Amino acid sequence: MAELGAPAGALRAYWALLRAQARGQASYRASFAVDLVSNVGATALDLVTVLVLFGVTRTLGGFDLRAALVVNALAACAFAVADLLVGNIERIKLYVRTGLFDAVLVRPLRALPQLLLMDLPVRKLSRAAFGVAVYLVVLAAADLAWTPARVALAVVAPVAAVLFFGSVFVVTASVAFWWTDSGEVGNAFTYGGRDFTSYPVSIYSGWFRALFAYGLGFAFVAYHPALALLGMADPIGLPSWVGWAAPLVALPACAAAAAVWRLGLRHYTSTGS
Amino acid sequence: MSRMEGNGVGSVTATVPRRRYPNVTADFRTFAALTVAGFRRYATYRQATFAGAFTNTVFGFLKCYVLLAVAAGAGAAVAGYDAPRLATFVWVGQGLLAVVLLWGWTDLADRIRTGDVVADLLRPVDPVVTYLATDVGRAGHAVLTRMLPPVVVGPLFFEVYVPHRWPTVPLFVASVALATLICFCCRFLVNATGYWLLDVRGPMMLWAFVSGVLSGLYFPLRFLPDWLVGPLWVLTPLPSLFQTPLDVLVEVDPVPRQLTLVGIQAAWAAGLLALCRVVQLRAERRLVVQGG
């Protein structure tokens, strides 16, 4: 993998890739418009599901509607942004199988940013924007006791969550380097991770909660930061400082993603023919 | 069906003329052969089958915990479902997901886009029948491979509801078969929009989005207010896809009501199958205009 000498030149190349993508996708106007709208619909649906569930119960794992919405909106907003920026790395399975990945490797740009920009799903912009808007509305409506620390956490937590979900996308996609036909397995951790994160961790139990919440770290993405924002005690019993430290989970996640990606790249031996 | 359409082109249809007198034995053997071929095609995707079953099972845990928390929060039974009923609803629903197959079927749309569909039209078998027979084989394969893992794993970790009345078993089997047939018709119609639009991403996205929530896959539809559920059930085929078979299985209703729900399914299946036939015929005339 050669690198362009001047970083400015590399940036210009990335920018050209991005612009070509955006233009190409927007040129099918009708299809693009339907996609933009449907993408918002999909995110709105997660919200509607929570409202329907609270139509038949008043509490969910010790959370009332107001508190559950903070968890849900934080997770949904971060996932939508991560899906926009990194989600399309899923397509690497296709690239590895068809051999297109070789073309990516011989270009004088880094492989990961190239892959992300080559397919940046511009239509998912609407979903990400909607997710951020819902997060802001929910925070405003949740009647939180705002302090400077809470404001900082409300900003840092979604950013860390985006990094975390992005790392999950990269790790699950890297599986394709070893197992090309891994199919939907990655979905269990990407979309499954989003679903897990969208509800208070207190509703899960046993080994399943231990594995997803603390083994894989999904509890620190939305649940613990939301507890800190709300000033609630953890129904599971972890101390309250955990919520404030939770965004740090993005650091090991990113490190792990980078390590797995590099390992996979080194393992990659093309498809032959 | 006038012969004057298509700018006065003589031929009305691109297909080989169909036999005037039905030959039931030959038709049945053709259907069976196509079904076996569909089964064998999916039997070759072993890794994908494993991956799919694994993912369905993980989502089973996620959905089950959410609905059980709802039941716990509400105190007693929710909308007629107690905790074991909800667990059965989720786990059998996860098993049915690949049998009924809401998403990911683009065979017809792909063939329309590439033009391969012409080969389907030249065969002396109705394309609707061909695709249906193949889909029956696919569903049969899914019952044996994709349905079992969630249905076996669920009861290991959660208390599930086992039906008590004997009529429930045949009704459930009939209901699953009808749900698969209805879903095939819906998928066929969504794919068939490709005859007119060529690009089916829009209709596909819309279908994925509407069918998931209104079929009972995300939450039992009875959680919704009554004025919404009734019309939804009768006026759209969507609750017939998952809500009906699962409600029949967990016995939320007495037998006559179960029969009514399956009856609604049968009506939708017949209507949609006829609609597929009509749409396909019109599309074939359309293809004559496009060809050349």
Side-chain angles (χ1 to χ4, degrees):
Chain A
M1 227 187 357
E3 309 265 333
L4 271 194
L11 276 182
R12 258 209 313 279
Y14 289 136
W15 178 241
L17 268 175
L18 179 61
R19 280 226 334 249
Q21 261 305 311
R23 262 210 315 272
Q25 289 178 32
S27 60
Y28 299 95
R29 279 166 205 277
S31 181
F32 188 70
V34 172
D35 259 356
L36 278 179
V37 173
S38 302
N39 267 296
V40 170
T43 309
L45 209 63
D46 292 339
L47 199 67
V48 170
T49 303
V50 177
L51 295 177
V52 168
L53 296 182
F54 271 95
V56 289
T57 179
R58 296 182 73 89
T59 72
L60 206 59
F63 279 55
D64 58 10
L65 177 60
R66 180 185 68 105
L69 278 180
V70 174
V71 177
N72 196 274
L74 176 51
C77 145
F79 185 84
V81 175
D83 192 24
L84 166 72
L85 298 176
V86 192
N88 258 40
I89 193 80
E90 283 178 332
R91 292 170 60 93
I92 192 158
K93 279 185 288 243
L94 187 74
Y95 294 153
V96 169
R97 205 175 55 229
T98 58
L100 194 74
F101 194 61
D102 293 4
V104 172
L105 288 182
V106 295
R107 289 183 200 145
L109 290 170
R110 297 173 66 99
L112 189 55
Q114 259 196 83
L115 281 175
L116 300 183
L117 288 178
M118 258 166 66
D119 290 306
L120 192 80
V122 184
R123 59 181 190 281
K124 288 184 182 170
L125 263 176
S126 60
R127 181 187 284 206
F130 181 77
V132 173
V134 168
Y135 178 60
L136 294 176
V137 169
V138 165
L139 280 188
D143 195 22
L144 302 177
W146 288 107
T147 61
R150 285 214 170 102
V151 173
L153 185 63
V155 175
V156 172
V159 174
V162 169
L163 290 174
F164 188 91
F165 280 129
S167 306
V168 175
F169 270 116
V170 171
V171 170
T172 54
S174 302
V175 172
F177 287 122
W178 288 275
W179 181 17
T180 316
D181 286 328
S182 56
E184 301 175 39
V185 164
N187 293 2
F189 301 99
T190 52
Y191 298 95
R194 176 201 57 190
D195 285 7
F196 183 91
T197 311
S198 298
Y199 291 93
V201 167
S202 47
I203 70 169
Y204 308 103
S205 60
W207 61 268
F208 187 79
R209 173 164 82 193
L211 176 70
F212 261 79
Y214 302 105
L216 299 175
F218 282 107
F220 306 109
V221 177
Y223 174 70
H224 284 294
L227 283 174
L229 286 174
L230 290 157
M232 275 174 70
D234 183 6
I236 306 175
L238 257 62
S240 61
W241 59 262
V242 173
W244 299 96
L248 292 174
V249 78
L251 299 178
C254 286
V260 173
W261 174 258
R262 289 216 185 91
L263 214 61
L265 215 51
R266 244 174 255 149
H267 187 267
Y268 176 71
T269 48
S270 192
T271 44
S273 64
Chain B
M1 304 279 155
S2 98
R3 286 183 164 269
M4 296 311 291
E5 279 190 28
N7 293 331
V9 175
S11 173
V12 176
T13 162
T15 52
V16 173
R18 306 221 153 84
R19 280 190 312 274
R20 207 169 287 182
Y21 307 105
N23 181 344
V24 178
T25 336
D27 285 348
F28 179 77
R29 276 168 60 190
T30 311
F31 195 94
L34 287 167
T35 303
V36 171
F39 185 98
R40 289 178 58 183
R41 174 181 158 197
Y42 280 85
T44 56
Y45 304 147
R46 281 193 212 113
Q47 299 192 11
T49 302
F50 170 79
F54 171 80
T55 306
N56 289 158
T57 306
V58 172
F59 277 94
F61 279 103
L62 292 167
K63 288 182 187 174
C64 198
Y65 277 119
V66 171
L67 288 188
L68 290 182
V70 170
V78 207
Y81 305 93
D82 51 16
R85 278 192 169 88
L86 285 172
T88 300
F89 192 98
V90 167
W91 285 101
V92 177
Q94 287 305 104
L96 284 182
L97 194 50
V99 177
V100 174
L101 192 75
L102 278 187
W103 306 308
W105 189 80
T106 56
D107 290 14
L108 177 61
D110 290 343
R111 289 175 73 81
I112 294 170
R113 207 187 55 242
T114 57
D116 288 346
V117 74
V118 170
D120 297 341
L121 299 180
L122 290 173
R123 292 184 190 124
V125 188
D126 190 308
V128 180
V129 174
T130 313
Y131 283 101
L132 175 60
T134 315
D135 202 59
V136 171
R138 178 203 60 74
H141 177 257
V143 167
L144 296 181
T145 56
R146 297 285 300 271
M147 186 160 172
L148 277 179
V151 170
V152 169
V153 169
L156 293 179
F157 298 98
F158 298 90
E159 189 198 339
V160 295
Y161 179 84
V162 180
H164 296 313
R165 307 189 299 244
W166 71 262
T168 296
V169 178
L171 270 175
F172 174 68
V173 173
S175 183
V176 169
L178 285 169
T180 309
L181 180 58
I182 294 170
C183 195
F184 163 77
C185 293
C186 294
R187 281 182 272 127
F188 188 93
L189 291 171
V190 172
N191 273 255
T193 57
Y195 281 119
W196 286 268
L197 304 176
L198 291 177
D199 180 60
V200 296
R201 249 186 317 181
M204 208 67 100
M205 185 82 193
L206 195 66
W207 161 251
F209 157 57
V210 173
S211 64
V213 66
L214 296 183
S215 65
L217 200 60
Y218 292 174
F219 49 80
L221 293 176
R222 290 175 200 233
F223 283 11
L224 294 169
D226 287 337
W227 57 263
L228 194 58
V229 181
L232 197 63
W233 219 307
V234 180
L235 299 179
T236 79
L238 297 170
S240 295
L241 298 176
F242 288 101
Q243 188 70 35
T244 300
L246 295 173
D247 272 359
V248 166
L249 183 68
V250 299
E251 298 175 335
V252 272
D253 299 308
V255 178
R257 190 81 191 272
Q258 286 176 314
L259 274 170
T260 312
L261 293 180
V262 177
I264 294 175
Q265 276 189 306
W268 269 110
L272 284 172
L273 210 52
L275 184 62
C276 286
R277 189 77 202 87
V278 171
V279 166
Q280 176 64 30
L281 270 181
R282 305 223 30 164
E284 286 174 13
R285 289 148 58 90
R286 163 105 187 155
L287 267 190
V288 176
V289 176
Q290 272 191 345

